[in-house]
Amino acid sequence: AQTVTQSQPEMSVQEAETVTLSCTYDTSENNYYLFWYKQPPSRQMILVIRQEAYKQQNATENRFSVNFQKAAKSFSLKISDSQLGDTAMYFCAFPSYNQGGKLIFGQGTELSVKP
Amino acid sequence: SAVISQKPSRDICQRGTSLTIQCQVDSQVTMMFWYRQQPGQSLTLIATANQGSEATYESGFVIDKFPISRPNLTFSTLTVSNMSPEDSSIYLCSVGGQGASGYTFGSGTRLTVV
């Protein structure tokens, strides 16, 4: 079965500090993408960062970076210099092309950035 | 990436009634996805909507309860029928699946059934 697991239901971090959100997944597909989405209280789903599984280099997007370990099927998100606006629910996800392209989501991690 | 306009943004409905949610995309897309997000939970796929064919429903979701329309490549509707308080959730539409472009989501519909 294709699954995504986020083992941290809630996390908090002080403003300007660094926090890492963990994600593990399981898939039998060889070529795939991995995504981190942010959902603030406005409920809009916002793509934070994406990683192509065939690329060894970890993706970075400004203050956001990932640690992608393909063999371990691990895909963690690091947020540097945390800002109050980073407070949101974060979801790890990947598309299952064997199942029509639907996104498989983790349970989510609720991140609170404290001033 | 595509831009999606989803309406309504929120509604409060009486039990036993139905609500239709609309998603309009600014470009033609092959597949559209409808998700439900119950309070404090992750997103659960309701169905995948392809233009010109019946939607494909996930386990636990049936067409009689969640009929979907997909009349063209830029528009889709999801109806929540015969609502009960358990249907109170956020409903989101999404398009994507074209590799690195990721998936785009509508702004969501917050439904409260009283």
Side-chain angles (χ1 to χ4, degrees):
Chain A
Q2 297 179 307
T3 59
V4 178
T5 301
Q6 295 178 248
S7 58
Q8 304 153 313
E10 299 177 354
M11 293 193 73
S12 65
V13 62
Q14 291 296 128
E15 195 175 6
E17 293 189 347
T18 296
V19 64
T20 299
L21 280 57
S22 65
C23 171
T24 59
Y25 63 94
D26 190 17
T27 179
S28 57
E29 299 178 19
N30 292 321
N31 297 316
Y32 51 90
Y33 293 86
L34 293 159
F35 303 108
W36 277 98
Y37 281 90
K38 168 185 177 181
Q39 188 181 40
S42 67
R43 74 180 174 268
Q44 177 71 56
M45 293 288 284
I46 302 166
L47 179 64
V48 174
I49 196 165
R50 64 173 71 91
Q51 173 77 42
E52 298 169 78
Y54 64 88
K55 287 189 176 180
Q56 292 186 341
Q57 185 174 7
N58 289 324
T60 61
E61 196 71 41
N62 300 315
R63 298 183 294 108
F64 299 88
S65 61
V66 300
N67 183 3
F68 174 49
Q69 303 290 330
K70 189 173 183 179
K73 295 183 177 176
S74 171
F75 182 58
S76 61
L77 174 69
K78 185 171 81 171
I79 305 174
S80 304
D81 185 25
S82 297
Q83 301 177 358
L84 297 178
D86 296 333
T87 293
M89 184 73 82
Y90 287 82
F91 293 99
C92 176
F94 74 87
S96 174
Y97 299 116
N98 291 340
Q99 299 181 56
K102 70 177 185 180
L103 277 176
I104 310 293
F105 283 94
Q107 304 92 323
T109 296
E110 186 171 5
L111 176 67
S112 297
V113 180
K114 302 186 182 303
Chain B
S1 57
V3 176
I4 304 175
S5 174
Q6 183 172 344
K7 296 178 180 179
S9 61
R10 61 178 63 228
D11 207 340
I12 301 173
C13 300
Q14 297 292 321
R15 68 175 67 202
T17 62
S18 298
L19 176 71
T20 295
I21 302 166
Q22 301 180 1
C23 280
Q24 177 74 53
V25 190
D26 69 345
S27 59
Q28 293 185 339
V29 293
T30 303
M31 294 196 299
M32 293 183 71
F33 304 91
W34 286 97
Y35 292 87
R36 181 176 74 181
Q37 186 179 23
Q38 295 179 303
Q41 303 295 314
S42 185
L43 283 73
T44 300
L45 183 67
I46 298 172
T48 302
N50 295 322
Q51 190 268 336
S53 63
E54 284 195 4
T56 302
Y57 288 82
E58 296 294 300
S59 176
F61 297 96
V62 295
I63 188 171
D64 289 346
K65 176 67 175 178
F66 298 101
I68 287 172
S69 168
R70 185 80 200 275
N72 57 55
L73 290 174
T74 64
F75 187 78
S76 180
T77 66
L78 168 76
T79 299
V80 186
S81 303
N82 189 24
M83 289 184 285
S84 66
E86 292 70 33
D87 294 320
S88 297
S89 293
I90 296 170
Y91 293 85
L92 300 105
C93 61
S94 175
V95 301
Q98 301 303 313
S101 62
Y103 290 69
T104 305
F105 289 81
S107 53
T109 297
R110 184 182 296 275
L111 171 62
T112 303
V113 184
V114 297

